[in-house]
Amino acid sequence: MKLQKGFTLIELMIVIAIIGILASVAIPQYQTYTIRAATTPEIVGAVRPVQLALSEYAAIGQALPEAETDLVQWATGEAANCLGIVQNVIYTPADEFSGVITAITYSAASTVPSCVKAGAGPSDEPTLQGVTMYLNAFSNENGAVRYELDTATSTGAGEFPARFLPKIGDKPQVVTP
């Protein structure tokens, strides 16, 4: 009696089907991961100066600035600093203990500053063009500031896609593909 050597055709087809299923799940996740890894440093780098200025202001004054002009450590309109995909960062105070940091990305039709060779301009990912990310700032009476991504606002039409939101602030992020 001969011993069978090797695999049957059906066994090979099953293995190929399993590899195909795994690849169909892994490739989109990998693409999301690479886009997020490329854009997160630019977004965080654009927002961080505002966060530091707010934290410094709150530590000294025990509250957040009630007017944008009170925040002399930082000025809105930082686009001239070549912030990658971020066109502008704006701080809007709500009251003495809260405010919103807004980061707006370049759209495909945006006028890009002269630093385009330094990497400023619209993202290669179309869903990240011309969208807005909202970061809420909350201060207590002791001057401690915490930041939370506004995921409720960031999921509307034309807003920052949830799967590309950076891990910034105190609230843990639930990111769905």
CSV table of all heavy atoms in Angstrom, one decimal, residues 65 68 95 106 119-120 127 138:
chain,number,residue,atom,x,y,z
A,65,PRO,N,-8.9,81.9,29.4
A,65,PRO,CA,-9.2,83.3,29.0
A,65,PRO,C,-10.6,83.4,28.5
A,65,PRO,O,-11.1,82.5,27.9
A,65,PRO,CB,-8.2,83.5,27.8
A,65,PRO,CG,-7.7,82.1,27.4
A,65,PRO,CD,-7.9,81.3,28.6
A,68,GLU,N,-10.5,85.6,23.1
A,68,GLU,CA,-9.3,85.1,22.4
A,68,GLU,C,-8.1,86.0,22.5
A,68,GLU,O,-7.0,85.6,22.5
A,68,GLU,CB,-9.8,84.9,20.9
A,68,GLU,CG,-8.8,84.2,20.1
A,68,GLU,CD,-9.3,84.0,18.7
A,68,GLU,OE1,-10.5,83.9,18.5
A,68,GLU,OE2,-8.4,83.9,17.8
A,95,ASP,N,-16.6,80.1,28.3
A,95,ASP,CA,-16.7,80.9,29.5
A,95,ASP,C,-15.3,80.8,30.2
A,95,ASP,O,-14.3,80.4,29.6
A,95,ASP,CB,-17.8,80.4,30.4
A,95,ASP,CG,-17.7,78.9,30.7
A,95,ASP,OD1,-16.6,78.4,31.0
A,95,ASP,OD2,-18.7,78.2,30.8
A,106,TYR,N,-6.5,71.6,5.4
A,106,TYR,CA,-6.6,72.2,4.0
A,106,TYR,C,-7.6,71.4,3.2
A,106,TYR,O,-7.6,70.2,3.3
A,106,TYR,CB,-5.2,72.1,3.3
A,106,TYR,CG,-4.2,73.1,3.8
A,106,TYR,CD1,-3.2,72.7,4.6
A,106,TYR,CD2,-4.3,74.4,3.3
A,106,TYR,CE1,-2.2,73.6,5.0
A,106,TYR,CE2,-3.3,75.3,3.7
A,106,TYR,CZ,-2.3,74.9,4.6
A,106,TYR,OH,-1.4,75.8,5.0
A,119,GLY,N,6.0,70.5,3.3
A,119,GLY,CA,5.0,69.5,3.6
A,119,GLY,C,3.6,70.1,3.9
A,119,GLY,O,2.7,69.3,4.3
A,120,ALA,N,3.4,71.4,3.9
A,120,ALA,CA,2.1,71.9,4.2
A,120,ALA,C,1.2,71.8,2.9
A,120,ALA,O,1.7,71.9,1.8
A,120,ALA,CB,2.2,73.4,4.5
A,127,THR,N,-10.8,62.1,2.6
A,127,THR,CA,-11.7,62.3,3.7
A,127,THR,C,-11.1,63.2,4.8
A,127,THR,O,-11.8,63.6,5.7
A,127,THR,CB,-12.1,61.0,4.4
A,127,THR,OG1,-10.9,60.3,4.8
A,127,THR,CG2,-12.9,60.1,3.4
A,138,PHE,N,-11.2,72.2,29.3
A,138,PHE,CA,-11.9,72.5,30.6
A,138,PHE,C,-10.9,72.8,31.7
A,138,PHE,O,-10.0,72.1,31.9
A,138,PHE,CB,-12.8,71.2,31.0
A,138,PHE,CG,-13.8,70.8,30.0
A,138,PHE,CD1,-13.5,69.7,29.1
A,138,PHE,CD2,-15.0,71.5,29.8
A,138,PHE,CE1,-14.4,69.3,28.2
A,138,PHE,CE2,-15.9,71.1,28.9
A,138,PHE,CZ,-15.6,70.0,28.1
